[in-house]
Structures are given as C-alpha cells and as structure tokens.
Amino acid sequence: MAQGPSLRAGVGADGDLLSAEGDWTAAHAADLDRLAHAAPPHVRKLTISLEGVGRLDTFGVWALERLRRSVVEAGAQAQLAIPQDARADLFAGVDKALARPSGQTGRRDRWGTLLHRLGRSAEAFAVDFAAFLDLTGRLTFCFAQGLRHPARLRLRSAVHHLDRTGLRAVPIIALMCFLIGCILAQQGFFHFQRFGATDYVVDLVTILVLREIGVLLVTIMVAGRSGSAYTAEIGSMKMREEIDALRTMGLDPVEYLILPRILALIVAAPLLTIIGNGAALYGAGVVAWIYGDMSPAVYIERLHEAASHIDLEVGLIKAPVMAFVIGAVAALEGMKVQGSAESLGLGATASVVRSIFFVIVLDGIFAVLFAAMGM
Amino acid sequence: MEADEVITVSDLHVTLAGHEVVRGLSFQVRRGEIVGLVGASGSGKTVLLRTMLGLLPKTSGTVEIMGVRLEQATPAESRRIGGRCGMMFQQGALFSSLTLRENVEFPMREYLDGSDAMYGDVALAKLAMVGLSVEDADKLPSEISGGMTKRVAIARALALDPDILFLDEPTSGLDPIAAGEIDRLIRTLQRVLNLTVFMVTHDLNSLKSVCTRILALYDGRIIAQGPMQDILAFDHPWLRAYFRGERGRAAQLA
Ligand SMILES: Nc1ncnc2c1ncn2[C@@H]1O[C@H](COP(=O)(O)OP(=O)(O)OP(=O)(O)O)[C@@H](O)[C@H]1O
Ligand SMILES: [Mg+2]
C-alpha cells in the first residue's frame, strides 16, 4: 500500500518518458530529494507522467517540478503532465516559488567587514549616548513638572517599584554583604598576622566596606535584579505595542513607566547601601570575634576610631547616582527592543552588562573626584 | 488503514479559573471532513481547541486524536501525532526571531529528512499558496501586517502537509478576496490530501462554502450539528440570531 516514490524510465510517443510511481509525500522526503536530482543524462525531449502516482503532496510536487526544471536547465525539453484536478493548485503554488528570480534566496547580510562593524559600533555608541542625554532631559523635565503637580509623579507606582526593588532585595543583599564582610575580615586577619598588624584589620574593612564594597555590591545586585527586570518589562511592553497604546492615549511613557521606576531605584539604592554596610560590618565583627580573637567591645571601639562620617557619605553619595544610571540604561535598552523575543533577551543582557560597566566606570570617576576634594 | 474517526471528543469538561467553560461536550470528526465550530465570542472555542491539543488541562472526559489519547500517548506517539497535525493559533504565534520562511521551514527541519533546498522551496511555495510574495519571505514577524500574520500562521500549520488541520479563525482580519483564497486553499488541500480540518470561524462565507459540517457551541455544549441547511433550520434563539441577524442574512444573500 504505502509505497515510496520512484521513477521508471521508458520510451514515450515522442522522446523519453519518466513515469512517477508510488507515494510522493513528505514522509519520503529523503527519497524525494534524491529523485528531484535524478534527471537522466542526454535526453532531448522528456515527458514526466503522473499516472502511476498514489498520494501526492506539496513536497512531491516540488520534487517533480525540480526534476523538470533541471532537465530544462540542461538545455533539453521537458514537460510535466499536470493533472487537471485540484492538484493543479499545488503545482501553481510551487511554480511561483521556484520561479523566483535567482539571487533573492540569500538571507539579509548580517556580517559586514571588520571596519564596517567597528564604525557601526562607534555610531551605535554615539546614538546610545545621545539617547541617554535625551532621556535624562526628559526625566528631569517630568520630575520638575511632577514637583509642581505631584499627581504626575505617579508616586503610587513608584512605591510599588520601591517595594519590589528595595524591600524585597533586603534579604539577599544583607546576606551577600554579610558574607563579604566575613571574608574580608578573615583575609585581613590571616595576612596581617604575619606583620603583627591585626590591629589595622578593622580599619581596612571599615574603609573598604563604607567607601567601595558596600555600594558596589549593592548597585551590582540592583543592576542584576532590577535593571534586567525593568528592561524585560519595558521591552515586552514595547513589543506588544503597549507603549504605543499609552502614547495614543496622550500619556508619556517616560512619565508613566520610566520615572517611577528610576525614582524607586534612586531611593532604594542608598537605603540598601546602609543595610549592606551594616551587614558587612556585622559579618566582619563576627569573624573578628571568632577567628581573630577580638572581643565585640574592642571591635566596636576600633570601628568608631576607624570610621568617619566622610567614609559613609562617600558611599551614600555614589549610590543614587549609580542607581540613576542603572535605571536609565535599563529603560533605554527596554525601549530599543524590536519585535522579536531574541531582541528582548539581548536587551536584558545588554542592560545588565552595560549598567555594571558604567557603575564601575563611575566608581573610578568618583574616586578621582573625592581624592581631589580631599574626602 | 486507520479508523474513520480521526478526532473523538467525549464528555469533555474544562474549568478555568473556577469557571466551567466547557461543560460536557462530545463530538466526532471523520477523515476528510471540514468541520466548522461556531459560537459567541468568549464561549470557549479557543479553549476547546487548546484542550483538544493538550495545551490546557481538562477536568474530565477524553480526547482521542487518530486513535490515541493524548494523556496516555508515549513520547514517540505524541511526536508522530505532532507531525501529522497542524495548528494555527488565533494570534498567529509565529516565532518572533525567525523570518517568515524560517517559520514555515521550522517544522520541516524537525520532522523530515530532506535537504535545505527542499525546505526553502517548499516553504516559499506554502507562502505563495497563502498569497504572500517571495519578497516578504525574509521579513520578520514584527515587520508584517495583521492579515499577513494570519497567512503565515496558516502556511506554517500547513508546512508538513498534515493530516489534520486545526485553525482558529483563519479568515478573520483578512480582506474578502484573501479570505476567499484561503477558503479555496483549504478546499483544495482537503481534496488533494484528504485533509481533515477542524476550524473555528465566525465567517459565514467560509461556513457556507467550505465546511461540510457545522458544530454550534453554546453555553459550553454542542447545541446543534450538521450541514449548513440543518443548522439554519434548527430552532434556537441564539442560532437564529447568529445566522438570521442582519449580517447573517446579508452573507447568505451573497
Ligand atoms: N487561560 C485562561 N484562564 C482563565 N480563563 C480563561 C483562559 N482562557 C480563556 N478563558 C476564559 O474562557 C472563556 C472562553 O474563552 P475563549 O478564548 O475560548 O473564547 P472564544 O470562544 O475563542 O472567543 P473568540 O471568538 O472571541 O475568540 C472566556 O470567558 C475566557 O475569559
Ligand atoms: Mg478564540
């Protein structure tokens, strides 16, 4: 019954004859593919007969058409006895597809030369930077307007995001900073012992945590947790035309979606930094007590001596600025998302990678600034 | 040879979010039939279709496709059935990262053992059959119109020349000429491939010109089934309103 496709050669009324037999269907795709290229050599006039064909589908029709065309391309004559029933429609469809002008089969050119790509990325960077400035301007404008008409600040939405990005991040940030504090202290005691300088471990940990580690850990965590979420949310809203819907209602997506999110981040980051600092110093204290034989009372006293309010301020000044950059990068990457799921994924990745990069660059700039200011 | 009934649904119940959408529904579809499912918006047509394909959980009842119960199917069986069913989703559900042609090629690559040239050509042929031009084939789903999305979705459902085709509103959102072409394509494929089609549609023209049988869904049950004239003769207030309302009459005069 179910029999694979085959071609039987014979001699017809005028010229050669090929009789197609069996089922020419998708189930026999490999055979069809072989038969499509099985044109007999040295024919001048070929007729392909379909009388013996059982089932025939689009794949079978493709093979028959390909066969006929390969004979014609070799300079001979070939004709296909197209059945005059519903199957003719299949032939018409395949014919249209095969008749396409050659050279159109190629995909779009995705890979240019190296120079070309270099130029493209430089251009993309400039465009991104302009978009960043543009967004900063819009946000400032919206914020200023919001100060005059507080309803436009969308505080309800900001509080919702504050809960998501701030409150819910507390456990993981506290835990992470606690562990880092422990590790810093342990390393300090272990290495400083050799110089008999364990007295300075507390100074090391305090300055490191308050000025750098606390705020860096928190902002990196925020970029990974909230920045990527923001990009995914805004990106999928862009993808499903929700942002266009907002625009046609006369609502500004910057005011409605981006400003509340960034405000939430700016408020959350310093608070999280304080919590992170506390957790790290607590962790260091625990290690100092257990591993470094320093009683909590001594540790706290050293802490008082080592830490100045300037160290704390340095960390807390950096946090909101970094939060702003994280939020802005996340929003920009989200707005860049095109229609495809792939571009959403790329956007989320780019958002995290870029915001962490900028956080570190900013940290370097701040270090220079604070040094110049003697802080 | 397989049994004549390719789809058997018996006493199906589906509850979603605490609301019983499908309440005790039974019907059969035989090989070669083109069955149209009608029902008010929100009456559960899409839910029924998705449940039949195992995409939504059912509360009770059975669905057999080609003699196999989906929940009892071995992985090999469900793959075999997957290769012989084509589904077109109401919203298209195209793969957004693939071009239109790659979307149609996708099931071929998964199920067949042919060559790239074959897939490419046949995919273009499918796209041509649903009325798309060769130039459109390299576009991405985000770059095409709503009607084009419908057509590509149909082309992808047809990619493997399946035995059973499930269509969720294939002609809604298409202009009348395009809708007519789709109707003609469905009829052609049914004749050539002895395809079984189960389609949800609100298009009275398709119901009249392609469907060999109509199922009317109301209140979670099938209230009437049969060819168009039987349904028209059936006395039920909702059916009367559906087919004899102003729009219904206009379509029947055409
Ligand atoms: N995932 C879901 N969860 C909860 N309820 C759902 C879900 N999907 C659908 N419903 C509900 O089931 C009912 C039937 O929806 P369905 O999409 O099947 O309608 P339909 O008959 O296809 O309508 P239309 O003709 O507008 O496409 C609706 O009331 C809908 O709200
Ligand atoms: Mg529906």
Side-chain angles (χ1 to χ4, degrees):
Chain A
M1 258 218 45
Q3 195 196 353
S6 62
L7 282 172
R8 196 159 45 85
V11 181
D14 63 334
D16 294 276
L17 179 73
L18 273 181
S19 310
E21 291 173 350
D23 284 349
W24 289 60
T25 55
H28 308 286
D31 293 332
L32 291 181
D33 206 30
R34 182 174 48 76
L35 290 172
H37 301 100
H42 321 302
V43 285
R44 274 195 283 108
K45 196 152 194 285
L46 180 71
T47 307
I48 304 170
S49 136
L50 301 188
E51 270 155 34
V53 171
R55 289 160 56 86
L56 179 66
D57 67 7
T58 324
F59 293 85
V61 170
W62 170 82
L64 291 165
E65 267 294 327
R66 255 286 121 103
L67 180 67
R68 185 184 70 81
R69 276 164 197 270
S70 68
V71 174
V72 173
E73 273 157 27
Q77 277 182 31
Q79 53 168 308
L80 198 56
I82 297 178
Q84 291 307 311
D85 52 25
R87 291 187 277 186
D89 278 13
L90 288 187
F91 281 91
V94 171
D95 199 49
K96 251 189 239 165
L98 290 178
R100 64 168 184 258
S102 55
Q104 286 231 345
T105 52
R107 287 162 196 227
R108 38 184 89 190
D109 177 27
R110 288 193 180 141
W111 304 105
T113 61
L114 189 64
L115 205 61
H116 180 78
R117 269 197 279 163
L118 196 68
R120 273 293 155 89
S121 24
E123 188 193 335
F125 182 78
V127 169
D128 284 350
F129 190 66
F132 177 77
L133 292 182
D134 180 58
L135 181 67
T136 311
R138 281 165 193 269
L139 283 167
T140 317
F141 179 73
C142 281
F143 186 68
Q145 287 222 313
L147 290 181
R148 284 200 292 154
H149 313 280
R152 301 190 58 175
L153 273 184
R154 316 280 165 198
L155 284 179
R156 187 190 296 249
S157 161
V159 168
H160 167 74
H161 290 295
L162 189 58
D163 173 53
R164 280 193 344 162
T165 60
L167 200 55
R168 282 161 207 248
V170 167
I172 182 67
I173 281 183
L175 178 65
M176 203 172 62
C177 290
F178 172 81
L179 290 175
I180 292 286
C182 292
I183 295 165
L184 275 180
Q186 188 272 338
Q187 290 290 306
F189 278 109
F190 183 76
H191 290 284
F192 281 18
Q193 236 156 27
R194 284 189 287 170
F195 319 113
T198 46
D199 286 355
Y200 296 108
V201 170
V202 182
D203 298 69
L204 167 85
V205 171
T206 313
I207 291 182
L208 219 50
V209 165
L210 292 185
R211 285 186 163 251
E212 299 293 333
I213 305 280
V215 65
L216 273 183
L217 273 182
V218 166
T219 45
I220 288 173
M221 197 64 185
V222 164
R225 250 186 116 256
S226 310
S228 60
Y230 283 2
T231 305
E233 288 161 12
I234 294 174
S236 66
M237 291 176 86
K238 173 97 190 300
M239 224 161 108
R240 295 146 157 267
E241 301 177 334
E242 290 173 43
I243 294 204
D244 297 340
L246 269 182
R247 283 213 177 98
T248 55
M249 293 176 195
L251 300 172
D252 180 6
V254 172
E255 172 193 321
Y256 215 81
L257 300 174
I258 303 181
L259 185 60
R261 286 180 163 80
I262 292 189
L263 281 182
L265 274 192
I266 291 178
V267 174
L271 297 178
L272 288 172
T273 305
I274 293 174
I275 292 170
N277 287 346
L281 293 180
Y282 181 75
V286 169
V287 169
W289 188 22
I290 295 171
Y291 180 84
D293 288 331
M294 184 184 278
S295 76
V298 176
Y299 176 75
I300 288 173
E301 202 178 314
R302 288 270 156 77
L303 199 64
H304 275 297
E305 284 166 17
S308 72
H309 64 97
I310 290 184
D311 295 323
L312 187 65
E313 279 162 15
V314 163
L316 291 185
I317 289 171
K318 291 196 275 195
V321 180
M322 291 173 171
F324 173 78
V325 172
I326 292 171
V329 168
L332 286 173
E333 291 298 332
M335 297 297 276
K336 274 203 289 188
V337 167
Q338 298 292 310
S340 76
E342 194 182 349
S343 76
L344 184 60
L346 286 177
T349 309
S351 159
V352 174
V353 172
R354 289 191 179 183
S355 48
I356 291 180
F357 174 73
F358 285 128
V359 158
I360 289 172
V361 169
L362 267 180
D363 195 49
I365 295 174
F366 271 120
V368 173
L369 273 181
F370 286 135
M373 288 159 61
M375 276 174 90
Chain B
M1 200 68 209
E2 280 155 329
D4 223 22
E5 268 79 43
V6 284
I7 305 174
T8 309
V9 172
S10 48
D11 198 29
L12 188 70
H13 290 259
V14 180
T15 302
L16 286 173
H19 172 68
E20 189 166 41
V21 180
V22 175
R23 321 172 174 191
L25 207 153
S26 308
F27 63 90
Q28 293 186 327
V29 179
R30 284 183 299 279
R31 181 172 300 280
E33 274 193 301
I34 303 183
V35 173
L37 179 69
V38 298
S41 248
S43 60
K45 302 180 298 295
T46 302
V47 168
L48 173 61
L49 211 54
R50 296 178 71 96
T51 313
M52 286 166 69
L53 292 162
L55 299 172
L56 282 177
K58 52 181 183 270
T59 331
S60 65
T62 57
V63 176
E64 268 182 35
I65 292 182
M66 293 192 279
V68 179
R69 280 201 202 169
L70 285 186
E71 67 271 17
Q72 294 173 355
T74 62
E77 266 173 343
S78 35
R79 194 178 153 85
R80 182 178 67 91
I81 289 178
R84 295 172 64 186
C85 293
M87 166 75 184
M88 181 217 139
F89 290 87
Q90 193 167 5
Q91 321 286 357
L94 300 178
F95 301 124
S96 56
S97 322
L98 304 180
T99 65
L100 304 191
R101 190 203 321 188
E102 287 164 345
N103 259 283
V104 181
E105 284 177 12
F106 182 81
M108 302 181 193
R109 287 183 195 284
E110 280 302 305
Y111 279 100
L112 304 182
D113 50 1
S115 65
D116 284 356
M118 172 190 239
Y119 302 149
D121 287 346
V122 177
L124 282 182
K126 302 275 176 188
L127 289 171
M129 284 182 211
V130 294
L132 288 168
S133 69
V134 174
E135 292 80 57
D136 293 329
D138 285 325
K139 288 187 177 159
L140 289 168
S142 55
E143 300 165 349
I144 60 176
S145 76
M148 287 161 80
T149 306
K150 281 260 135 124
R151 295 176 195 223
V152 180
I154 298 174
R156 190 180 68 184
L158 287 172
L160 296 171
D161 285 324
D163 291 343
I164 310 180
L165 192 58
F166 295 93
L167 303 170
D168 199 347
E169 305 200 7
T171 53
S172 68
L174 294 181
D175 64 83
I177 303 176
E181 281 166 11
I182 298 293
D183 283 348
R184 184 181 143 90
L185 178 69
I186 293 171
R187 247 191 341 247
T188 303
L189 290 170
Q190 192 276 329
R191 258 185 256 145
V192 177
L193 308 170
N194 198 22
L195 195 68
T196 310
V197 183
F198 185 84
M199 67 179 186
V200 171
T201 182
H202 291 301
D203 185 337
L204 292 164
N205 284 311
S206 323
L207 284 171
K208 199 168 68 157
S209 63
V210 274
C211 294
T212 54
R213 191 151 62 96
I214 295 171
L215 299 179
L217 183 68
Y218 184 81
D219 203 19
R221 293 187 195 88
I222 303 284
I223 51 165
Q225 56 174 306
M228 185 77 166
Q229 59 266 31
D230 291 11
I231 299 286
L232 286 175
F234 197 85
D235 195 33
H236 184 280
W238 177 77
L239 273 181
R240 235 177 307 146
Y242 192 95
F243 288 102
R244 312 261 180 80
E246 254 173 65
R247 305 187 58 139
R249 266 210 308 275
Q252 278 161 50
L253 289 178

